[in-house]
Amino acid sequence: MADGATFMLSSLSSIFTASSPFSSYSRSPKLSYLPMRHFHRTPSSTRFLRIYALSSNDIKVGINIEVDGAPWRVLEFLHVKPGKGAAFVRTKMRNYITGNTVEKTFRAGSSLDEANVFKETKQFTYKEGAQFVFMDLNTFEEIRLLESEVGDRKKWLKEGMDCNLLLWNGKVIDLELPITVKLSVADVDPGLKGDTAQGGSKPATLDTGAVVNVPLFVNVGDEILVDTRTGQYMSRA
């Protein structure tokens, strides 16, 4: 009697995923007129749009969400489960566009839209009138920001400094400086003899125009490190 062989066949299903290119903007090397806030990206630097399904349960510090057509960054959050009623998430958020900080509450499990905010490193090259010019060192394309857009951060900007530009929907929405910058002392009081031992300080004007308090031993021409978040002297460079 011939033996019978039974074969069990299983089918494999392949899952293919495709990312959609984020081609909402490209930039031309040609200089643009003010305002330089919208630009398009060339195909060589095309990004891919990240699409995530978010809910309020995914909220955490640092996440970017889109609310009322604007990008927000979550600064604080707290999941609340009251004894009565539905659970909710209380947040403190900052609007990238206006800089305003507000508190907002979301129902637990409610749907959210992620704000596709990303960074690009550019070098601050020079200031022309009321415009600050940043260059992409790979493509040599320029992006110009108005003095009003740079704000108080201008006092830490020095030619040749690398900065991060934050982009959303083809717009520059924020500028991030290095946490630590090296600047030169342009003017400072010589201080009184013998003050050094008492650990005193004195105001110093830096080469960017910023004024910081420095130890009494710091003199004109010294290079110092400054924390751009606090504006405080850190050490000699």
Side-chain angles (χ1 to χ4, degrees):
M1 179 183 294
D3 293 334
T6 302
F7 297 88
M8 298 184 66
L9 301 178
S10 61
S11 61
L12 299 176
S13 59
S14 297
I15 301 174
F16 296 91
T17 58
S19 299
S20 301
F22 183 78
S23 55
S24 64
Y25 67 95
S26 65
R27 283 162 297 191
S28 166
K30 185 178 179 181
L31 295 180
S32 301
Y33 298 100
L34 284 175
M36 279 293 292
R37 298 292 285 176
H38 298 263
F39 47 91
H40 294 283
R41 183 183 293 278
T42 58
S44 62
S45 55
T46 300
R47 286 185 176 271
F48 293 90
L49 178 63
R50 299 171 302 161
I51 301 176
Y52 296 124
L54 297 178
S55 81
S56 59
N57 297 330
D58 299 313
I59 288 177
K60 58 184 178 181
V61 172
I63 196 171
N64 298 311
I65 59 177
E66 191 171 322
V67 179
D68 298 329
W72 297 76
R73 181 179 179 85
V74 176
L75 305 177
E76 300 175 10
F77 76 99
L78 178 65
H79 291 275
V80 180
K81 295 182 179 179
K84 294 182 179 180
F88 60 90
V89 183
R90 181 183 295 123
T91 66
K92 185 176 183 180
M93 309 188 303
R94 182 176 70 86
N95 187 310
Y96 276 108
I97 306 298
T98 65
N100 293 338
T101 300
V102 301
E103 293 185 356
K104 191 171 180 63
T105 299
F106 300 92
R107 292 195 320 271
S110 58
S111 298
L112 296 174
D113 293 325
E114 183 194 22
N116 190 38
V117 176
F118 59 91
K119 298 179 183 180
E120 288 190 348
T121 300
K122 310 294 179 186
Q123 186 178 94
F124 172 58
T125 51
Y126 62 96
K127 183 175 184 288
E128 185 176 57
Q131 302 175 61
F132 289 79
V133 183
F134 297 83
M135 179 179 287
D136 186 311
L137 295 183
N138 294 318
T139 64
F140 303 106
E141 297 165 344
E142 292 183 346
I143 296 176
R144 298 181 176 226
L145 299 181
L146 294 175
E147 191 167 351
S148 59
E149 295 170 324
V150 176
D152 288 341
R153 291 165 291 195
K154 66 184 180 182
K155 64 186 177 183
W156 309 121
L157 278 174
K158 191 171 183 178
E159 292 182 4
M161 180 182 293
D162 287 340
C163 304
N164 287 326
L165 297 185
L166 274 66
L167 301 110
W168 170 75
N169 285 357
K171 306 175 191 176
V172 176
I173 59 172
D174 204 358
L175 166 67
E176 286 185 350
L177 301 177
I179 293 176
T180 303
V181 294
K182 181 169 71 172
L183 300 173
S184 298
V185 177
D187 186 37
V188 68
D189 257 343
L192 299 176
K193 189 174 182 180
D195 282 348
T196 304
Q198 299 177 15
S201 64
K202 57 187 179 181
T205 302
L206 307 182
D207 52 349
T208 58
V211 177
V212 299
N213 287 322
V214 299
L216 296 173
F217 57 77
V218 172
N219 297 308
V220 172
D222 288 349
E223 289 189 322
I224 64 172
L225 299 179
V226 179
D227 188 324
T228 59
R229 298 167 300 181
T230 62
Q232 294 182 344
Y233 167 90
M234 296 177 65
S235 67
R236 274 178 171 167

